[in-house]
């Protein structure tokens, strides 16, 4: 596999593509030159790390016309979790997290609110100024995508936080009027 060269032969060694592109919610998006063995976390570190708005659960890695979703938040939390090695030509996209929820109905300040990780239904009701006197807290609806969950806001929930659902971006909470 080692060809013999003779006078007049031309050997062409192409330049290796060692550039990767990182876009989205990182402090310094752009093109970076990687070394052999560099990983996704190495690249994110070179790009200054994620911004506070980054959704690290849904980072996209595009390679050779294929895109895969990588849960970088899990890689960071679990030692030994697969941290993909990068190759030249890779494109990494760190999306913005959707942290907005909508609360409608019988609350003092209905509208769109930005939640933090770990915020729960009662936190949102507090942000919205609490329920009005006409609110039916036995039939609060939590819409999440195609799923609707009926939540009964009880005194036990309010006191101990029991059965107080955690919110995610895109949730819609409806507090109906009592009949």
């Amino acid at each position: 596999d080692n060809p013999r060269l003779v006078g007049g032969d031309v050997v062409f060694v192409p330049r290796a593509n060692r550039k990767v592109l990182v876009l989205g919610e990182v402090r310094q998006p752009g093109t970076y030159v990687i070394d052999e063995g560099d990983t996704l976390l190495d690249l994110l570190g070179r790009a200054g790390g994620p911004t506070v708005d980054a959704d690290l659960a849904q980072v996209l890695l595009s390679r050779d016309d294929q895109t895969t979703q990588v849960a970088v938040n899990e890689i960071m939390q679990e030692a030994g979790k697969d941290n993909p090695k990068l190759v030249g030509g890779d494109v990494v996209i760190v999306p913005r997290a959707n942290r907005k929820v909508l609360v409608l109905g019988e609350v003092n300040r209905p509208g769109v609110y930005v939640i933090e990780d770990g915020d729960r239904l009662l936190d949102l009701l507090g942000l919205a100024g609490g329920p009005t006197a006409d609110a039916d807290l036995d039939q609060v609806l939590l819409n999440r995508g195609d799923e609707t969950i009926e939540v009964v806001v009880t005194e036990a929930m309010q006191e101990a936080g029991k059965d107080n659902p955690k919110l995610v971006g895109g949730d819609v909470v409806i507090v109906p009027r009592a009949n």
Side-chain angles (χ1 to χ4, degrees):
D1 290 350
N2 189 7
R4 183 171 290 254
L5 298 176
V6 295
D9 285 347
V10 175
V11 177
F12 175 73
V13 180
R15 175 176 276 185
N17 179 4
R18 296 185 359 200
K19 293 181 180 178
V20 295
L21 179 62
V22 61
L23 302 169
E25 293 300 317
V26 292
R27 296 191 197 298
Q28 299 163 342
T31 302
Y32 291 85
V33 176
I34 59 168
D35 294 321
E36 176 112 11
D38 280 355
T39 64
L40 181 56
L41 289 182
D42 295 331
L43 175 66
L44 293 179
R46 281 197 202 129
T51 67
V52 295
D53 293 325
D55 185 351
L56 295 178
Q58 299 186 48
V59 174
L60 301 176
L61 174 60
S62 292
R63 176 180 298 158
D64 298 330
D65 297 328
Q66 290 187 354
T67 301
T68 56
Q69 185 172 312
V70 181
V72 171
N73 57 339
E74 291 178 12
I75 295 170
M76 294 168 65
Q77 293 173 353
E78 298 176 32
K81 187 83 172 163
D82 186 32
N83 183 7
K85 287 192 182 347
L86 299 173
V87 297
D90 282 352
V91 177
V92 175
I93 302 170
V94 181
R96 179 180 294 259
N98 177 5
R99 293 198 173 114
K100 294 181 181 176
V101 295
L102 175 62
V103 61
L104 300 170
E106 294 300 317
V107 292
N108 287 306
R109 292 186 304 274
V112 175
Y113 292 88
V114 176
I115 59 169
E116 299 298 324
D117 283 340
D119 279 357
R120 297 183 174 270
L121 176 63
L122 290 180
D123 299 320
L124 177 64
L125 293 179
L127 287 172
T132 66
D134 295 330
D136 184 353
L137 296 178
D138 291 337
Q139 296 183 16
V140 174
L141 299 177
L142 172 61
N143 292 322
R144 181 171 293 154
D146 294 336
E147 182 181 13
T148 300
I149 304 164
E150 189 169 311
V151 180
V152 178
V153 178
T154 63
E155 284 185 36
M157 176 194 287
Q158 294 172 14
E159 291 171 7
K162 183 179 178 198
D163 299 324
N164 184 7
K166 190 181 275 191
L167 299 172
V168 297
D171 281 351
V172 177
V173 175
I174 302 168
V175 180
R177 178 183 292 263
N179 293 331

